[in-house]
Amino acid sequence: MVLSANDKSNVKSVFGKIGGQADAYGAEALERMFATYPQTKTYFPHFDLAKGSAQVKGHGKKVAAALVEAANNIDDIAGALSKLSDLHAQKLRVDPVNFKLLGQCFLVVVAIHNPSVLTPEVHASLDKFLCAVGTVLTAKYR
Amino acid sequence: MVHWSAEEKQLIASVWGKVSVEECGAEALARLLIVYPWTQRFFSDFGNLSSPTAIIGNPKVRAHGKKVLTSFGDAIKNLDNLKGTYSKLSELHCEKLHVDPENFRLLGDILIIVLATHFTKDFTPACQATWQKLVGVVAHALAHKYH
């Protein structure tokens, strides 16, 4: 799966519109993921997952920062997320299936806050981008 | 059998009551064909699917989208017997249409996004969780008779 010039431009434009809200989007995506896919909570036994949790907010910020970094370096996502990729392979070992689940929830959050931005074409580009990020993060698993 | 709490049934009914089956169905199917273009393989007789604009405006896509979402409405009326409700449709999708059940999951995810764009803040996390559960069990019921 390859990101076309159009895809890259769509993704950059979405993140441009999200701007400073990215941190909140990250937190909300995590909140929705825990609610919708309870099995994802198994990776956070050490977290308080109650609504409004500071830990979830903090983690959402990290997730968002990584997505923003990937979007800003969209021509070389593997390079930009190389250290994160190592971390997921060696330490976190989150099963690859879960990246799709978080990706779905991130799309939902974008849809809710920017319904007019998420045209079918932009939806496609963003979905591809999120897949690409997941692929990079699991690339060194074996 | 799937268990539905009173809250889940309420969340399903309240969203469904506000959904335009024709509009949402058309949009969901169009987005499926755009976001996951390999799904176009099942619709070679639909005419022009050459671009997002063509897909969105395609009358066969709109009509089929409406048909699919109307059937979804049957599921909602029969939450306690989804496998029975979809038994014949499941056989059809396996034996005649040869649709990989993964496609039901893809369409379900797309429907969630469509609902999110329409309902925005009213599509709360609890709402999303309930509807993801619903599309998941519908997909499962549609795959149940596969052999």
Side-chain angles (χ1 to χ4, degrees):
Chain A
M1 177 197 54
V2 171
L3 293 174
S4 69
N6 254 12
D7 289 327
K8 292 178 184 180
S9 150
N10 284 341
V11 170
K12 281 180 179 296
S13 154
V14 169
F15 278 88
K17 295 208 176 71
I18 292 174
Q21 303 278 26
D23 291 354
Y25 282 30
E28 191 180 342
L30 285 174
E31 182 198 349
R32 284 176 181 272
M33 186 185 71
F34 295 138
T36 306
Y37 310 108
Q39 67 272 25
T40 57
K41 296 191 289 186
T42 58
Y43 291 97
F44 299 91
H46 53 303
F47 265 32
D48 163 26
L49 297 179
K51 192 162 165 60
S53 153
Q55 283 176 306
V56 173
K57 281 203 175 85
H59 198 68
K61 207 171 156 179
K62 276 192 201 164
V63 168
L67 289 176
V68 168
E69 182 72 5
N72 288 340
N73 295 278
I74 205 163
D75 290 325
D76 182 18
I77 297 175
L81 300 187
S82 178
K83 288 213 164 48
L84 256 185
S85 181
D86 291 338
L87 181 72
H88 281 78
Q90 291 155 20
K91 187 150 173 278
L92 303 177
R93 291 171 293 184
V94 172
D95 191 283
V97 70
N98 294 286
F99 296 97
K100 276 198 198 129
L101 305 183
L102 182 56
Q104 168 76 352
C105 290
F106 190 79
L107 276 173
V108 167
V109 172
V110 172
I112 283 172
H113 295 281
N114 308 270
S116 55
V117 167
L118 206 70
T119 62
E121 295 96 316
V122 170
H123 176 174
S125 298
L126 195 53
D127 190 81
K128 282 171 78 173
F129 168 74
L130 293 167
C131 278
V133 169
T135 298
V136 162
L137 290 178
T138 57
K140 301 176 196 175
Y141 271 32
R142 55 177 174 171
Chain B
M1 211 192 74
V2 182
H3 172 73
W4 300 96
S5 71
E7 194 204 346
E8 286 171 330
K9 288 185 179 180
Q10 204 275 319
L11 285 170
I12 290 169
S14 79
V15 165
W16 192 248
K18 300 185 194 107
V19 162
S20 155
V21 165
E22 181 164 358
E23 284 310 314
C24 265
E27 191 180 344
L29 188 62
R31 280 184 187 255
L32 179 74
L33 298 173
I34 292 165
V35 177
Y36 307 114
W38 54 93
T39 58
Q40 293 170 23
R41 71 190 295 286
F42 302 107
F43 302 102
S44 51
D45 61 337
F46 267 29
N48 187 4
L49 299 178
S50 60
S51 71
T53 310
I55 291 170
I56 291 164
N58 185 309
K60 285 189 173 176
V61 170
R62 292 192 67 85
H64 196 68
K66 179 181 175 183
K67 190 175 179 182
V68 168
L69 210 62
T70 301
S71 164
F72 207 83
D74 290 340
I76 290 177
K77 290 195 203 94
N78 292 282
L79 286 177
D80 296 327
N81 183 23
L82 282 171
K83 290 203 176 87
T85 304
Y86 276 129
S87 178
K88 288 251 157 350
L89 260 182
S90 180
E91 284 169 7
L92 178 77
H93 281 77
C94 171
E95 293 159 14
K96 293 260 151 37
L97 305 177
H98 309 297
V99 176
D100 178 348
E102 179 60 22
N103 292 284
F104 309 141
R105 287 178 265 287
L106 291 179
L107 182 59
D109 279 354
I110 292 277
L111 180 60
I112 296 298
I113 302 298
V114 170
L115 293 176
T117 60
H118 284 237
F119 288 90
T120 62
K121 286 184 194 62
D122 289 342
F123 201 60
T124 61
C127 208
Q128 180 189 352
T130 298
W131 274 81
Q132 289 277 183
K133 177 180 170 180
L134 177 60
V135 301
V137 300
V138 167
H140 185 76
L142 269 172
H144 190 246
K145 281 296 194 336
Y146 270 58
H147 57 88

